Amino acid sequence: QVQLEESGGGLVQAGGSLKLSCATSGIIFSIFAMGWYRQAPGKQRELVARISSWGTTNYADFVQGRFTISINANKNTIYLQMNNLKPEDTAVYYCNAARDYTSDNYWGQGTQVTVSS
């Protein structure tokens, strides 16, 4: 049974940093792509960062070098380090696990990130 649980969200001032964590169970990182998505009020959910099953990372254009996705396989945890946060980064951030070429696609419950100006 796959479970994803995000933590680490909160309120931060513009220019500050947060590190989001996604504790996983039932995930084999070598066959699942792991990603962070976000959804702001009134907007569609969008990709923030993704790491493929073979370790390739990709980021949304708006990240502009501010965020880093990483995996600690020993802890079964995915991280999103977010630096130089902007008010437009305010959203609910979701952890995602997806297995290529299958319908296996899992979401966490989300963690709120609020950046004040």
Side-chain angles (χ1 to χ4, degrees), residues 32-51:
F32 276 88
M34 303 300 301
W36 286 97
Y37 290 72
R38 71 185 188 184
Q39 188 167 17
K43 295 188 176 182
Q44 289 188 331
R45 192 171 297 188
E46 61 183 352
L47 174 68
V48 177
R50 184 177 181 270
I51 184 165

Side-chain angles (χ1 to χ4, degrees), residues 9-18 82 85-87 90 113-117:
L11 174 64
V12 64
Q13 288 188 334
S17 298
L18 282 175
M82 304 188 294
L85 283 160
K86 305 175 181 180
T90 295
V113 171
T114 303
V115 185
S116 63
S117 57

Side-chain angles (χ1 to χ4, degrees), residues 5-104:
E5 184 172 359
E6 303 94 336
S7 61
L11 174 64
V12 64
Q13 288 188 334
S17 298
L18 282 175
K19 187 174 185 177
L20 306 183
S21 299
C22 174
T24 76
S25 61
I27 292 290
I28 300 174
F29 294 130
S30 61
I31 62 173
F32 276 88
M34 303 300 301
W36 286 97
Y37 290 72
R38 71 185 188 184
Q39 188 167 17
K43 295 188 176 182
Q44 289 188 331
R45 192 171 297 188
E46 61 183 352
L47 174 68
V48 177
R50 184 177 181 270
I51 184 165
S52 71
S53 57
W54 55 90
T56 301
T57 57
N58 65 285
Y59 297 89
D61 290 343
F62 60 76
V63 169
Q64 297 178 328
R66 300 180 297 129
F67 299 174
T68 303
I69 187 172
S70 62
I71 293 176
N72 185 326
N74 291 332
K75 295 185 177 181
N76 296 315
T77 301
I78 312 300
Y79 302 99
L80 184 68
Q81 176 67 49
M82 304 188 294
N83 300 324
N84 191 22
L85 283 160
K86 305 175 181 180
E88 51 264 42
D89 294 318
T90 295
V92 178
Y93 283 71
Y94 297 91
C95 181
N96 174 264
R99 187 172 176 183
D100 288 342
Y101 311 113
T102 74
S103 60
D104 294 344

